[in-house]
C-alpha cells in the first residue's frame, strides 16, 4: 500500500514551527525517475503520475488521488482488482456529487465533478490484468459521465456519430465554440494509441474554448467500449478515419471549413500524419509529421533489419513528409519514446523534404518538466504552446475574460 511521505502524528503547529528554526538547511532529493510509487508496478505508477498531473486541468484533485492510492493493496493476488475497486469508488463519489449539483441547479459544480469522474473511471480501467467485463463497465460509466458533462456545458456539447466502417461508426464529442454568431474555427483532437477521447474534455477543451475555437474530440475505437486501438488497427488502417472526420465537420453549418486544424494527442504512431498527407483541407496540423514512420523505416532498413523481418513498403515516410501541405507543428518530449537527438536528426529530413513550408519543432525539456512520454508529467505547458500555435495559424482569437 502507498504509505504517507510525512507523518507528524498529533504534534501541534507550535511544535512543528519550533523545529523549523533549528534547521539551517533542508535537503531534498527529487528526480523525475523517482516518481515511482509502487516499484513493483511501474505501469500503474506512471498512470498515477498522469492522474496527479491532470489535477491542474480539472481532471482530479490531489487529495482524492492520495487518499484513493493509500487504499490500494498490491500485497495479495488481486492487486489489479484493488486498483480498479478503489478508483471506481472515487469515481462514483464524484458522479454522485455531480448528480446532486445538477439537480440543485449548480451546473458549474456538476461539470467539475463529471470531469473528475470521467478521469477516475478511465484510471480504474487502466489495470493490465483487469477482467474484460470490469474494463468495459468502467469505460461505459466514463462515457455516461462524458455525456452528462456535455449536457451541463454552455454552450451545450453533442455526442456525434461519424460514419466510417460498416462494422461501426466513430463516436465523437463536439463542443461548440463560445457563441459568436459566425462559423467557428475547429480543432480535431484525436487519440493516438492508448488515448481515449474522453480525456480531451478536461485536458484540451478549455484551451480551445478560451481561444474561440470549437473542439471535436474523437478516437478510432468505435461507438462501443470493448475494442482496443490494436484490434482496430490490425483490421483497418486508422489513417483512413481522418477523411470521414473532416467530411463530417465540413457538413456542419457552424464550422468554418477554411479553419480546421488537427491535433494528434500522444506520440505513438504516425497514422494522423499519413491521414492528412493527401488531404489538403486542413489549415494546420499538430502531429509527428511522419517522424515515427521515418524511425521505423530506418530500423527496418535492409542493411539493419534481422534476416527474418520483411520490409515495410507501406510506410513511405519521405513521401508522407513531402505531401503534408499545411503548417505543421511537431511537439515532442525530450524523454519520450525517441531521444531528442534522434528527433532532431529526423526533423532535419522532414524540413529538407518540405522546402520552405511552415514547420515548427518544439521539444519539451526536463528543465521545464513536460519532458516525459506524452508530456504526462505536466501537460498544461505543452497544451498552452500547442493551442497558441494553432490559434496563430488558423486565425482564432483568444477571448477576453
Amino acid at each position: 500500500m502507498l504509505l504517507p511521505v510525512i507523518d507528524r502524528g498529533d504534534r501541534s503547529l507550535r511544535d512543528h514551527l519550533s523545529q523549523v528554526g533549528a534547521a539551517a538547511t533542508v535537503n531534498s532529493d527529487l528526480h523525475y525517475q523517482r516518481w515511482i510509487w509502487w516499484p513493483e508496478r511501474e505501469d500503474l505508477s506512471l498512470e498515477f503520475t498522469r492522474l496527479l498531473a491532470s489535477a491542474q486541468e480539472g481532471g482530479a484533485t490531489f487529495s482524492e488521488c492520495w487518499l484513493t492510492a493509500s487504499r490500494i493493496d498490491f500485497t495479495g493476488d488481486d492487486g489489479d482488482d484493488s486498483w480498479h475497486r478503489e478508483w471506481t469508488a472515487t469515481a462514483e463519489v464524484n458522479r454522485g456529487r455531480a448528480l446532486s449539483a445538477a439537480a440543485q441547479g449548480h451546473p458549474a459544480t456538476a461539470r467539475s465533478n463529471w470531469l473528475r469522474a470521467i478521469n477516475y473511471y478511465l484510471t480504474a480501467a487502466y489495470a493490465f490484468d483487469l477482467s474484460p467485463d470490469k474494463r468495459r463497465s468502467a469505460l461505459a460509466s466514463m462515457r455516461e459521465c462524458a455525456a452528462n458533462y456535455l449536457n451541463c456545458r454552455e454552450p451545450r456539447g453533442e455526442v456525434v456519430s461519424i460514419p466510417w466502417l460498416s462494422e461501426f461508426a466513430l463516436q465523437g464529442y463536439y463542443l461548440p465554440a463560445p457563441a459568436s454568431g459566425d462559423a467557428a474555427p475547429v480543432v480535431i483532437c484525436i487519440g493516438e494509441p492508448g488515448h481515449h477521447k474522453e480525456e480531451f474534455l478536461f485536458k484540451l477543451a478549455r484551451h480551445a474554448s478560451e481561444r474561440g475555437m470549437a473542439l471535436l474530440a474523437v478516437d478510432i475505437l468505435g461507438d462501443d467500449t470493448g475494442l482496443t486501438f490494436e484490434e482496430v488497427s490490425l483490421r483497418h488502417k486508422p489513417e483512413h478515419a481522418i477523411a470521414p472526420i473532416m467530411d463530417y465537420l465540413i457538413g456542419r453549418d457552424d464550422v468554418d471549413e477554411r479553419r480546421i486544424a488537427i491535433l494528434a494527442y500522444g506520440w505513438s504512431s504516425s497514422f494522423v500524419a499519413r491521414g492528412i498527407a493527401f488531404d489538403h483541407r486542413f489549415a494546420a496540423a499538430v502531429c509527428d509529421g511522419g517522424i515515427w514512420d521515418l524511425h521505423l523505416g530506418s530500423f527496418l532498413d535492409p542493411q539493419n533489419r534481422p534476416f527474418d523481418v520483411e520490409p515495410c513498403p507501406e510506410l513511405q515516410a519521405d513521401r508522407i513528409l513531402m505531401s503534408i501541405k499545411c503548417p505543421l507543428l511537431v511537439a515532442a518530449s525530450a524523454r519520450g519514446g525517441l531521444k531528442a537527438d534522434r528527433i532532431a536528426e529526423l526533423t532535419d529530413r522532414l524540413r529538407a523534404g518540405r522546402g520552405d513550408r511552415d514547420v515548427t519543432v518544439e521539444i519539451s525539456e526536463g528543465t521545464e518538466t513536460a519532458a516525459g512520454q506524452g508530456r504526462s508529467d505536466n501537460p498544461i505547458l505543452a497544451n498552452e504552446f500547442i493551442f497558441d500555435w494553432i490559434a496563430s495559424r488558423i486565425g482564432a482569437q483568444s477571448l477576453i475574460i
Side-chain angles (χ1 to χ4, degrees):
M1 299 180 69
L2 186 68
L3 298 177
V5 177
I6 299 175
D7 182 6
R8 295 192 180 96
D10 59 356
R11 284 165 48 188
S12 68
L13 178 61
R14 180 179 299 176
D15 291 337
H16 171 54
L17 291 177
S18 68
Q19 297 290 328
V20 173
T25 61
V26 177
N27 295 322
S28 63
D29 185 16
L30 301 177
H31 192 275
Y32 75 94
Q33 290 180 331
R34 298 189 181 101
W35 276 42
I36 302 299
W37 311 106
W38 298 278
E40 70 278 13
R41 292 302 303 269
E42 184 174 353
D43 57 334
L44 297 183
S45 299
L46 293 174
E47 174 65 7
F48 185 59
T49 298
R50 181 202 68 80
L51 191 61
L52 288 176
S54 72
Q56 60 192 329
E57 298 279 24
T61 70
F62 276 93
S63 295
E64 284 181 317
C65 290
W66 285 111
L67 180 61
T68 305
S70 71
R71 299 194 301 258
I72 298 172
D73 186 1
F74 288 115
T75 59
D77 295 330
D78 64 340
D80 283 16
D81 285 335
S82 176
W83 172 277
H84 168 266
R85 182 171 55 254
E86 298 305 336
W87 290 116
T88 298
T90 301
E92 290 178 350
V93 169
N94 280 265
R95 180 165 67 171
R97 286 198 296 257
L99 289 168
S100 177
Q104 297 175 43
H106 303 301
T109 298
R111 287 194 297 268
S112 297
N113 281 277
W114 288 128
L115 289 177
R116 292 193 294 269
I118 289 169
N119 202 14
Y120 294 142
Y121 278 124
L122 180 60
T123 302
Y126 186 83
F128 182 78
D129 288 332
L130 197 63
S131 71
D133 287 343
K134 289 182 178 179
R135 179 173 288 106
R136 280 193 294 267
S137 177
L139 295 178
S141 296
M142 174 188 70
R143 289 189 169 190
E144 178 185 323
C145 291
N148 285 322
Y149 165 78
L150 296 178
N151 289 334
C152 285
R153 189 178 180 272
E154 184 58 42
R156 185 173 178 174
E158 306 172 34
V159 179
V160 301
S161 182
I162 302 173
W164 181 31
L165 304 170
S166 58
E167 300 156 64
F168 59 81
L170 297 172
Q171 186 185 80
Y173 302 135
Y174 183 77
L175 284 64
S180 64
D182 300 323
V186 183
V187 57
I188 301 166
C189 298
I190 185 165
E192 289 273 9
H195 292 277
H196 289 76
K197 63 186 179 299
E198 286 76 17
E199 65 185 281
F200 306 151
L201 297 179
F202 56 83
K203 283 185 177 178
L204 306 179
R206 175 178 65 86
H207 297 284
S209 180
E210 290 176 347
R211 292 161 178 81
M213 294 184 281
L215 180 143
L216 176 64
V218 64
D219 53 38
I220 63 165
L221 302 177
D223 52 10
D224 196 5
T225 59
L227 294 175
T228 66
F229 183 95
E230 290 74 17
E231 290 171 325
V232 174
S233 60
L234 282 174
R235 290 180 288 172
H236 312 284
K237 292 185 177 181
E239 57 264 33
H240 291 171
I242 302 301
I245 295 171
M246 174 61 91
D247 293 340
Y248 166 79
L249 284 177
I250 288 178
R252 292 187 64 106
D253 294 336
D254 56 352
V255 169
D256 185 344
E257 65 180 69
R258 300 165 302 172
R259 297 192 291 165
I260 299 176
I262 188 167
L263 163 58
Y265 199 86
W267 232 63
S268 305
S269 80
S270 293
F271 88 84
V272 170
R274 296 193 297 271
I276 67 173
F278 306 102
D279 189 334
H280 300 155
R281 295 175 290 177
F282 291 92
V286 182
C287 63
D288 80 333
I291 284 179
W292 194 257
D293 280 354
L294 274 178
H295 176 69
L296 291 179
S298 299
F299 177 75
L300 296 176
D301 183 271
Q303 296 181 351
N304 299 327
R305 70 174 185 268
F307 68 90
D308 58 341
V309 175
E310 294 297 323
C312 297
E314 73 276 13
L315 292 178
Q316 301 179 11
D318 288 308
R319 186 166 65 96
I320 290 172
L321 296 178
M322 292 185 289
S323 300
I324 298 175
K325 304 297 184 184
C326 65
L328 175 66
L329 169 62
V330 178
S333 303
R335 295 195 298 268
L338 294 179
K339 300 300 182 183
D341 55 350
R342 180 61 170 158
I343 295 172
E345 174 191 344
L346 296 174
T347 299
D348 288 342
R349 289 183 60 182
L350 183 155
R351 286 188 167 127
R354 287 174 56 91
D356 59 354
R357 295 174 193 163
D358 184 353
V359 179
T360 303
V361 178
E362 176 70 10
I363 300 178
S364 299
E365 300 290 347
T367 53
E368 279 194 309
T369 69
Q373 177 66 26
R375 300 173 293 276
S376 60
D377 55 324
N378 194 0
I380 192 171
L381 295 182
N383 292 339
E384 289 171 345
F385 180 89
I386 287 170
F387 277 87
D388 284 345
W389 182 91
I390 292 174
S392 70
R393 294 321 191 265
I394 67 175
Q397 296 182 353
S398 298
L399 303 181
I400 299 176
I401 299 177

